[in-house]
Amino acid sequence: MNVPGEASRNRVVWDHNSARAFAARSSLAVDPTATLRAQQVADRVRDESGSRDCRLAHTHASDMWAYYGRSWGENVGCYPGCADAARRVTKEFLASPEHRDNVLSTTYSAFGVGVACNDRYLFVAVQFVA
C-alpha cells in the first residue's frame, strides 16, 4: 500500500489553518493524541474500503467522548489519487456545511490529521478537540 507520508498530513494541517485565518479564526494546535486517533481512523477506513471502494465511517460518538471527554468533531473524507489528493481535502471539506462547521468552529483549540492510501484513494480523518 502507498504511504502518503508527512507531506500530505502537513498539507492538510496547513490548509485547514489557512482557511481558519482567512475566516478570522485562530490557528489550531496539532494535538498528538488527536493525530494518533485520526491516523487510526484513516487506516481503518482504508482497510475497510478494500482496493476499489471509498467507504467512510465516522468514529462512534461514545468512543470520541471516551477519548477526549470534552467537545470534539470529526471529518472523514476519501479522494481519488494519493500523491496529489491532499491539496483538495480542505477545499472539499469547506464545500460541505457540516464539515466546514468543524473546520471553522471557534469551539476547538486543537486537531489531529490522519492520512492513508490504498493506491487509488487518499483517506483523510481530522479530529477536532476543545
Side-chain angles (χ1 to χ4, degrees):
M1 287 193 192
N2 185 350
V3 179
E6 285 300 305
S8 293
R9 181 189 327 273
N10 291 340
R11 176 66 188 247
V12 175
V13 168
W14 173 263
D15 288 349
H16 271 56
N17 276 329
S18 294
R20 289 178 62 82
F22 187 77
R25 308 288 199 278
S26 61
S27 292
L28 298 176
V30 175
D31 180 270
T33 300
T35 298
L36 174 66
R37 300 290 186 199
Q39 187 60 53
Q40 291 170 341
V41 173
D43 290 340
R44 176 179 52 80
V45 295
R46 177 204 56 210
D47 295 345
E48 290 174 357
S49 292
S51 63
R52 295 183 181 212
D53 296 328
C54 185
R55 288 182 242 165
L56 301 177
H58 285 275
T59 305
H60 293 286
S62 60
D63 290 337
M64 293 293 281
W65 281 111
Y67 297 154
Y68 302 118
R70 57 190 189 266
S71 295
W72 56 268
E74 181 179 69
N75 288 349
V76 180
C78 177
Y79 307 91
C82 288
D84 64 340
R87 64 184 169 76
R88 296 190 307 267
V89 171
T90 302
K91 181 179 178 181
E92 295 291 331
F93 283 154
L94 291 172
S96 161
E98 296 85 5
H99 293 96
R100 182 178 56 246
D101 288 349
N102 280 338
V103 173
L104 300 179
S105 175
T106 58
T107 300
Y108 307 126
S109 60
F111 71 144
V113 175
V115 294
C117 190
N118 69 1
D119 293 326
R120 287 187 55 142
Y121 297 102
L122 178 70
F123 297 87
V124 178
V126 182
Q127 292 194 349
F128 301 89
V129 294

